[in-house]
Amino acid sequence: MPSEKILEQKKAVVEGLAEKMGRAASGVLVKYQGITVEDDTKLRAAMRAAGVEYSVIKNTLIGKACDKVGFEGLKGELEGMNALAISFDDPIAPAKILKEYADKIETFEIRGGFLDGAVVDQATVNELANIPPKEVLIGKLLGSIQGPLYGLACGLQAIIDKQADATGEAVEAPAAEEAAAE
């Protein structure tokens, strides 16, 4: 039977994890198995660079934190060795980074996660990972706005050019008639 000191430490870990999960933009649970030390070091460096907290935590502690936050649907995935990546700013970052490693390492797989306070399955996490970066999305939006405006500007310019041609012909016609009359 664990001592009171150990139980208090575990309760503190659960409380801290539940608080992080509750205020996080997203989180991804992965099967943490079969990854080499070299790949793990690169993975953790990429997570830090993206501002994502990544750690291997006991399933019982994750399960208790899920109960506190209301993510009971995630508890079904807590089998074997698992790691949890939590992002507070960019909801897509953990999914993108972990999918990259899951594609490279056969035994390292995405199990599920949470997004904006709701539990999501593996397929949803993979869809998140396939979303283009923010800069690309902004470029596409601006391009879609620019296209119709460019078409409108060309159409208006054509009308102006047509009016100028018609006005130019009308001005030249009387001058040509005067020259012919003389």
Side-chain angles (χ1 to χ4, degrees), residues 52-115:
V52 178
E53 289 187 20
Y54 177 77
S55 55
V56 178
I57 305 170
K58 286 187 168 190
N59 290 337
T60 54
L61 300 178
I62 295 173
K64 290 180 186 218
C66 286
D67 286 337
K68 287 186 175 280
V69 181
F71 294 160
E72 287 85 10
L74 197 58
K75 287 175 64 175
E77 301 297 332
L78 297 175
E79 296 174 6
M81 292 175 45
N82 292 302
L84 185 63
I86 299 174
S87 177
F88 300 103
D89 300 323
D90 185 0
I92 298 173
K96 277 194 172 302
I97 296 168
L98 290 171
K99 184 172 185 323
E100 178 185 332
Y101 281 87
D103 290 344
K104 283 195 273 184
I105 303 166
E106 190 176 311
T107 58
F108 188 85
E109 68 180 50
I110 294 173
R111 295 241 168 130
F114 55 91
L115 176 67

Side-chain angles (χ1 to χ4, degrees), residues 15-75:
E15 289 295 324
L17 184 58
E19 186 270 328
K20 286 178 184 178
M21 291 171 74
R23 67 182 174 90
S26 71
V28 177
L29 183 71
V30 293
K31 179 181 176 185
Y32 182 80
Q33 190 172 346
I35 188 167
T36 64
V37 173
E38 181 182 347
D39 286 338
D40 185 53
T41 303
K42 290 177 185 176
L43 172 65
R44 289 176 186 272
M47 290 289 189
R48 274 191 301 277
V52 178
E53 289 187 20
Y54 177 77
S55 55
V56 178
I57 305 170
K58 286 187 168 190
N59 290 337
T60 54
L61 300 178
I62 295 173
K64 290 180 186 218
C66 286
D67 286 337
K68 287 186 175 280
V69 181
F71 294 160
E72 287 85 10
L74 197 58
K75 287 175 64 175

